[in-house]
C-alpha cells in the first residue's frame, strides 16, 4: 500500500511538472510572436508571459515544480537554436529568476489574493524588478559568451529584464485572478462591467495608436476598473493595454516608428510599468479598505449581539432594586 501511494505521488508530481513545462512553452511561443529585440538564438520581448506563468505555478503548486520551468525553457531554447555550451547557463538563469522571486515574496508574507497594499508593492519590487535581474543578467551574459549579440549588451539586457518583469507584473495577477474568480455578478455590476469593457476597447487603441501625446488617455478607464472591480477589472485591462502597446511598437509604421530601439524600449517599459503599478496598487488599496470596513462591521455586529445577550440579565437585576425604591 505504501509503495503504491509513493508511485501515485510520483506520477502526480510528474504530471504537474510536465504541465508546467507545457504552460511555460506555450507562454514563450506567445511572447515570441512579437518582439522588439530579436537576436539570433534568442527572442527578447518587452512582455514575456512565461515568467508570470512560472511564478504563478510556484505559488499554486509549490516550489517542487521548478524542474517544469527548466524543462519549459529547454523546449523553447531548442526551437530557436541547437544546444550549445551556454545553454545550461540560460536554463539556470531562467529557472532561478522566478524561484528567487517566489522565495523573496514568501519571505515577506506575500498573499496571492493581492488584497493588501504591501502585497502589490512586494510583487512590484521583489517579485518583478529584483528577481528578474537574474534571468536578464545571466541570459544576456550567455549570449555575449556565445558571440550572438549584434544589437549590443545594454539594449538586450534592458529588453530582457523589463520583459521578464512585465511578465510578472501583468501576467501573474491575471492568472491568480483567473484561479479564484467567482461568478455570476449582480445585474447592476454586469451593466457597469460591460461599460468598462466598451470604453476600454474603444479608448485604448485610439490612445496608443494616434499619438504619443495621447498615449496615457486610457488611465481614467484603468482607474475606473480598479476602483469599481479591483483586481478583477484592472488586471485584465492592464494586460490588454500592454499587448496593444507592444503590437504598436513592433509595427513598421506607427507612433513608435520614428524612434530608436532604445527609445522604443524605454517608452514601452515606462508605459507598461505605469499601467502595472496603477493596476496593482489602486486595486490593492481599495480591496484593503473594503476588508477593513467589513471587519469593523463584523465587530459592531458581534458587539451588538453581546449587548443584546447582556441586556435582559441587567434588566432582571435592576427590577428588584426599582421595587425596593417604590416600597420605600
Amino acid at each position: 500500500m505504501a509503495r503504491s501511494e509513493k508511485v501515485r505521488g510520483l506520477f502526480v508530481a510528474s504530471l504537474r511538472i510536465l504541465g508546467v513545462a507545457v504552460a511555460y512553452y506555450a507562454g514563450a511561443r506567445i511572447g515570441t510572436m512579437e518582439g522588439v529585440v530579436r537576436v539570433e538564438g534568442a527572442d527578447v520581448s518587452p512582455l514575456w508571459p512565461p515568467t508570470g506563468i512560472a511564478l504563478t505555478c510556484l505559488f499554486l503548486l509549490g516550489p517542487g515544480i521548478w524542474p517544469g520551468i527548466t524543462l519549459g525553457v529547454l523546449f523553447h531554447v531548442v526551437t530557436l537554436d541547437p544546444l550549445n555550451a551556454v545553454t545550461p547557463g540560460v536554463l539556470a538563469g531562467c529557472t532561478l529568476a522566478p524561484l528567487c522571486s517566489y522565495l523573496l515574496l514568501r519571505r515577506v508574507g506575500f498573499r496571492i489574493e493581492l488584497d493588501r497594499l504591501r502585497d502589490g508593492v512586494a510583487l512590484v519590487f521583489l517579485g518583478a524588478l529584483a528577481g528578474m535581474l537574474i534571468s536578464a543578467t545571466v541570459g544576456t551574459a550567455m549570449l555575449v559568451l556565445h558571440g550572438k549579440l549584434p544589437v549590443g549588451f545594454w539594449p538586450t539586457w534592458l529588453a530582457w529584464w523589463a520583459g521578464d518583469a512585465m511578465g510578472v507584473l501583468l501576467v501573474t495577477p491575471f492568472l491568480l485572478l483567473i484561479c479564484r474568480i467567482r461568478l455570476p455578478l449582480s445585474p447592476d455590476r454586469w451593466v457597469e462591467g460591460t461599460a468598462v469593457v466598451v470604453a476600454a476597447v474603444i479608448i485604448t487603441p485610439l490612445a496608443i495608436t494616434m499619438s504619443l501625446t495621447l498615449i496615457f488617455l486610457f488611465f481614467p478607464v484603468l482607474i475606473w476598473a480598479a476602483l469599481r472591480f479591483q483586481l478583477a477589472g484592472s488586471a485584465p485591462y492592464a494586460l490588454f493595454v500592454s499587448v496593444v502597446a507592444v503590437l504598436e511598437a513592433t509595427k513598421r509604421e506607427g507612433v513608435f516608428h520614428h524612434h530608436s530601439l532604445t527609445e522604443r524600449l524605454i517608452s514601452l517599459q515606462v508605459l507598461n510599468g505605469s499601467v502595472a503599478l496603477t493596476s496593482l496598487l489602486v486595486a490593492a488599496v481599495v480591496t484593503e479598505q473594503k476588508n477593513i470596513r467589513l471587519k469593523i462591521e463584523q465587530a459592531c455586529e458581534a458587539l451588538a449581539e453581546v449587548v443584546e445577550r447582556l441586556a435582559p440579565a441587567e434588566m432582571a437585576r435592576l427590577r428588584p432594586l426599582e421595587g425596593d425604591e417604590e416600597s420605600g
Side-chain angles (χ1 to χ4, degrees), residues 49 57 78 80 135 231 260 279 282 293 326:
C57 290
V78 295
L80 300 176
S135 56
L231 202 63
S260 66
S279 169
V282 173
R293 184 178 64 184
E326 292 176 357

Side-chain angles (χ1 to χ4, degrees), residues 67-88:
I69 301 174
T70 305
L71 196 58
V73 178
L74 180 62
F75 288 164
H76 175 60
V77 169
V78 295
T79 62
L80 300 176
D81 204 38
L83 299 180
N84 50 62
V86 302
T87 300

Side-chain angles (χ1 to χ4, degrees), residues 6-310:
K6 185 177 181 180
V7 172
R8 181 182 177 184
L10 289 174
F11 178 72
V12 172
S14 300
L15 285 180
R16 288 180 175 179
I17 290 173
L18 183 59
V20 172
V22 172
Y24 189 101
Y25 177 72
R29 297 300 297 174
I30 294 173
T32 53
M33 290 174 61
E34 295 287 349
V36 173
V37 177
R38 291 190 177 274
V39 184
E40 184 183 357
D43 286 89
V44 183
S45 170
L47 175 61
W48 190 239
T51 55
I53 294 173
L55 187 59
T56 303
C57 290
L58 287 170
F59 273 109
L60 296 180
L61 303 177
I65 54 87
W66 69 263
I69 301 174
T70 305
L71 196 58
V73 178
L74 180 62
F75 288 164
H76 175 60
V77 169
V78 295
T79 62
L80 300 176
D81 204 38
L83 299 180
N84 50 62
V86 302
T87 300
V90 174
L91 297 180
C94 292
T95 303
L96 286 174
L99 192 57
C100 288
S101 294
Y102 167 79
L103 294 175
L104 287 171
L105 291 172
R106 285 293 301 271
R107 180 81 176 180
V108 298
F110 176 80
R111 295 201 310 217
I112 62 174
E113 292 81 8
L114 284 167
D115 55 357
R116 302 175 301 176
L117 179 60
R118 59 180 293 186
D119 297 325
V121 173
L123 185 64
V124 171
F125 292 100
L126 296 180
L129 300 183
M132 296 303 116
L133 289 171
I134 298 174
S135 56
T137 303
V138 173
T140 308
M142 292 299 103
L143 293 178
V144 171
L145 293 176
H146 198 42
K148 292 188 174 182
L149 200 62
V151 298
F153 179 89
W154 289 113
T156 304
W157 182 91
L158 176 63
W160 197 316
W161 174 64
D164 284 2
M166 291 307 109
V168 170
L169 289 180
L170 295 170
V171 177
T172 297
F174 178 74
L175 293 179
L176 292 176
L177 170 70
I178 292 297
C179 294
R180 58 185 179 85
I181 194 168
R182 296 292 183 269
L183 292 176
L185 299 175
S186 59
D188 59 326
R189 301 287 281 173
W190 276 112
V191 172
E192 186 176 7
T194 302
V196 172
V197 171
V198 171
V201 171
I202 294 176
I203 293 176
T204 304
L206 290 177
I208 293 177
T209 60
M210 288 182 62
S211 171
L212 285 178
T213 58
L214 300 176
I215 201 167
F216 294 103
L217 187 62
F218 56 82
F219 267 96
V221 182
L222 177 63
I223 295 173
W224 178 18
L227 289 175
R228 296 295 294 159
F229 298 95
Q230 290 77 64
L231 202 63
S234 64
Y237 185 42
L239 184 60
F240 174 66
V241 169
S242 179
V243 170
V244 173
V246 171
L247 292 175
E248 180 65 19
T250 57
K251 289 181 179 179
R252 295 187 177 182
E253 295 183 358
V255 295
F256 295 97
H257 175 62
H258 299 292
H259 297 272
S260 66
L261 173 63
T262 302
E263 290 173 341
R264 280 185 289 158
L265 287 174
I266 293 175
S267 298
L268 273 178
Q269 301 320 325
V270 169
L271 176 65
N272 288 339
S274 301
V275 169
L277 280 170
T278 303
S279 169
L280 284 173
L281 300 186
V282 173
V285 168
V286 174
T287 303
E288 190 173 38
Q289 294 299 318
K290 289 180 68 175
N291 290 338
I292 291 173
R293 184 178 64 184
L294 180 61
K295 290 179 180 178
I296 293 174
E297 291 176 353
Q298 291 173 346
C300 291
E301 291 175 358
L303 181 60
E305 292 177 359
V306 171
V307 172
E308 289 178 359
R309 287 198 300 267
L310 293 177

